[in-house]
Amino acid sequence: MYRIASRSFLTRMDRKTHNDISTLQKELSISQARETISFANVQHACSTLYAKYGTSIAVGSGSFITIDNGDLAKGFFLTAAHCVLKPDTYTKIDSLYITNPVTNEWVSIAPEDIFLDGAADIALIYTKIDLTMYSHYALSLSSIEPKIGDKCYVCGNPGGFDNDSLIMGVVRDAHYALSAYIADAIHIDAPGIAGNSGSPIVNVEGSVIGLYVFGRTSQETFNGGPNLNTLVQSLHILKTLSDNKSKKYLGINWSFPNAYEFATSYTDTSSFPNQGIKITVIDTTHSPFHPHLQVGDLLLSVTINGQKVEVGVLPHQRTPGVLLYKTNTNQAAITITFIRGKTLTTISDISFQKTYGDVPAIKDLPLIGGAANRS
């Protein structure tokens, strides 16, 4: 009797708990989140890339991508620019192979069908592989901006050891600020090594939110590349089958000061803004900021079309790299605010017309003169 009663009591408790949880789920509209992406679709879109220059062969990664309606017949393939350039030059590799996702055959790519945005380290390849009937073999750009903490995946070939392997991580920073990589970037903790360069960074829906192009030596979970915003703006030009030389040339490099370095720009060192970057290099021949800025200046903000952008590394701040794609030939001037010594200065109407097409090609080389290591 006791045991039967006890079982009956426990059964009623179990049912009550189950019913309560079910009711709570309905009331709060709790839905089970999908933990992983459909890997098959991403894997179909990705391919290892083998490039040859002289007698050397390099391995990289990339993916077929659709940028807008009607481009599937062009077979666009997205990868990192440095995967298709000879080392430390702006010269394209001699030959290249990727896999046709429809036939699973290696396809040779002519160098003249490779289009580059060197500053952002983006390459778009016109493969001519018709994917009109195979749209699921091409990834698409996400319509949703990634957020810090979002789950992400990288599909590529690390070290040439594992073709199209999937790596999971989270978004560390959706607008990562570097001194070397000038474009607006994404920072992730998904591990990767050489060979992953050119891998798409996708969200849980399998949509592209970034491109893997750099990583820190001996720190395999500090990786990233152009973020969604940079990809959208750069691919808008590359899809016209031309190198992206129309972006504005800045001609400066910078560092991120620590608190004590910031303090040297202020009289009251007990409290001062965490804002700005130190100018470390300026191109005195081509930079639109010369002679207005000098090495050692603390750049606080840039304003264009009435929109002020605070410069720095805090979540709401950006680097001058946002100017790469924010301007066009109809926008003639910007305003900058900076501190030289301890004097606050604002200069307006800086001529800002020079593009990468106006300067030597070597200045558009991916990650030249910076601390981030190429994969």
Side-chain angles (χ1 to χ4, degrees):
M1 292 290 291
Y2 180 79
R3 289 178 180 172
I4 294 175
S6 296
R7 287 174 183 169
S8 177
F9 176 69
L10 290 173
T11 300
R12 288 196 300 273
M13 286 183 62
D14 291 342
R15 288 175 179 169
K16 182 177 185 303
T17 302
H18 176 76
N19 291 336
D20 287 347
I21 292 175
S22 298
T23 301
L24 181 62
Q25 286 177 327
K26 291 178 182 178
E27 289 177 351
L28 297 179
S29 299
I30 297 175
S31 60
Q32 186 176 3
R34 186 170 63 185
E35 292 297 322
T36 59
I37 61 173
S38 174
F39 179 46
N41 290 341
V42 175
Q43 188 180 40
H44 277 306
C46 294
S47 172
T48 296
L49 173 156
Y50 285 105
K52 188 174 184 180
Y53 49 93
T55 58
S56 299
I57 299 175
V59 61
S61 302
S63 62
F64 288 90
I65 188 168
T66 177
I67 304 166
D68 52 36
N69 293 331
D71 64 7
L72 285 169
K74 296 179 179 179
F76 282 138
F77 188 84
L78 177 66
T79 187
H82 73 256
C83 286
V84 292
L85 291 174
K86 296 178 181 179
D88 300 319
T89 72
Y90 203 76
T91 305
K92 296 173 185 175
I93 42 78
D94 299 328
S95 61
L96 176 71
Y97 282 102
I98 61 175
T99 302
N100 182 327
V102 179
T103 64
N104 293 320
E105 296 176 344
W106 288 107
V107 176
S108 177
I109 302 297
E112 57 266 28
D113 288 327
I114 300 171
F115 304 98
L116 305 170
D117 180 343
D121 204 353
I122 300 170
L124 189 67
I125 301 173
Y126 175 36
T127 70
K128 306 181 183 70
I129 297 173
D130 191 349
L131 298 179
T132 303
M133 303 299 294
Y134 303 90
S135 60
H136 55 293
Y137 288 171
L139 303 181
S140 59
L141 295 169
S142 175
S143 60
I144 303 172
E145 282 280 345
K147 300 181 184 67
I148 294 175
D150 283 355
K151 188 175 292 185
C152 66
Y153 302 83
V154 176
C155 184
N157 192 343
F161 303 136
D162 187 6
N163 186 68
D164 299 338
S165 65
L166 191 70
I167 313 156
M168 185 177 71
V170 298
V171 176
R172 289 180 181 269
D173 192 341
H175 295 278
Y176 185 36
L178 291 90
S179 59
Y181 184 79
I182 192 171
D184 200 15
I186 187 172
H187 187 201
I188 62 175
D189 78 341
I193 59 174
N196 275 122
S197 287
S199 298
I201 303 171
V202 301
N203 58 20
V204 292
E205 302 300 326
S207 299
V208 177
I209 59 173
L211 185 68
Y212 185 108
V213 304
F214 61 72
R216 293 187 178 276
T217 303
S218 302
Q219 296 173 329
E220 65 175 16
T221 60
F222 283 81
N223 309 310
N227 63 12
L228 178 61
N229 183 57
T230 297
L231 283 173
V232 168
Q233 295 179 94
S234 182
L235 291 175
H236 176 71
I237 302 298
L238 296 180
K239 72 178 183 181
T240 65
L241 306 184
S242 60
D243 289 346
N244 188 358
K245 295 287 190 176
S246 62
K247 58 191 181 294
K248 291 299 184 289
Y249 176 68
L250 306 186
I252 56 174
N253 206 343
W254 54 81
S255 64
F256 302 110
N258 60 47
Y260 292 95
E261 291 171 324
F262 273 125
T264 62
S265 296
Y266 297 93
T267 301
D268 182 2
T269 59
S270 64
S271 179
F272 46 87
N274 182 359
Q275 177 183 351
I277 58 171
K278 283 279 188 180
I279 302 300
T280 57
V281 176
I282 187 162
D283 181 346
T284 57
T285 302
H286 301 285
S287 176
F289 294 108
H290 176 75
H292 313 290
L293 285 178
Q294 297 178 8
V295 171
D297 289 348
L298 181 66
L299 180 62
L300 298 177
S301 66
V302 295
T303 303
I304 187 165
N305 289 345
Q307 182 180 3
K308 184 176 181 180
V309 179
E310 189 173 305
V311 172
V313 298
L314 295 181
H316 68 284
Q317 297 171 344
R318 299 292 180 264
T319 73
V322 296
L323 295 173
L324 272 179
Y325 306 104
K326 264 191 174 296
T327 58
N328 57 48
T329 54
N330 296 321
Q331 297 169 323
I334 64 171
T335 297
I336 59 173
T337 300
F338 62 93
I339 297 175
R340 180 172 298 161
K342 297 182 187 298
T343 303
L344 182 66
T345 303
T346 296
I347 297 179
S348 300
D349 300 327
I350 295 177
S351 178
F352 204 63
Q353 294 300 317
K354 192 156 290 189
T355 70
Y356 274 85
D358 301 319
V359 300
I362 192 68
K363 295 186 181 298
D364 198 24
L365 188 66
L367 306 186
I368 273 291
N373 296 294
R374 296 194 299 173
S375 297

